[in-house]
Amino acid sequence: MFTEGKSFSNYPFKVLYLVFESGPMSLQSGFAVSKKNFKKAVDRNRIKRLMREGYRLQKNSLTEKLDNQKKFMTVFFIYIGAALPTYEIVSEKIYTALTRLEKFADESAPSNP
């Protein structure tokens, strides 16, 4: 995914994604926070929890679109900000990232990695 996938930035996130024609699930996701910016594991885990919750509540439209098109997508969110975010900021930015991903789902996908 890191070598073949595409990416875009939606500060404070960098989003990597890869679209397939076949796969185990219609949508897979991953979340990461840099240890360089957040030394304490408590802070990194808090940000990842916020990201997962925002994603969980808003992923339905992307999942339905992928199911209808019979495509599969892998998405990886990397938090690149330097400050602890609030849930409102995370939720808003995840929403904009997911709407961009819906547009990218329309692109032609490679057969299988």
Side-chain angles (χ1 to χ4, degrees), residues 10 21 52 79:
N10 184 23
E21 290 296 331
R52 284 192 299 263
Y79 186 80

Side-chain angles (χ1 to χ4, degrees), residues 47-109:
I47 295 169
K48 286 189 279 188
R49 265 196 315 274
L50 292 174
M51 291 166 59
R52 284 192 299 263
E53 182 64 10
Y55 172 79
R56 181 186 71 84
L57 294 174
Q58 300 174 24
K59 69 178 178 178
N60 294 332
S61 63
L62 178 59
T63 304
E64 289 174 7
K65 185 168 194 159
L66 290 170
D67 286 340
N68 291 339
Q69 295 179 355
K70 305 249 190 286
K71 290 187 180 180
F72 303 87
M73 183 181 280
T74 303
V75 183
F76 199 78
F77 294 90
I78 302 173
Y79 186 80
I80 56 174
L84 280 170
T86 62
Y87 175 73
E88 290 77 22
I89 292 171
V90 171
S91 179
E92 175 187 330
K93 296 299 182 170
I94 291 283
Y95 176 76
T96 56
L98 289 174
T99 54
R100 275 181 85 174
L101 286 169
E102 284 184 35
K103 294 176 187 173
F104 296 137
D106 292 333
E107 296 176 355
S108 61

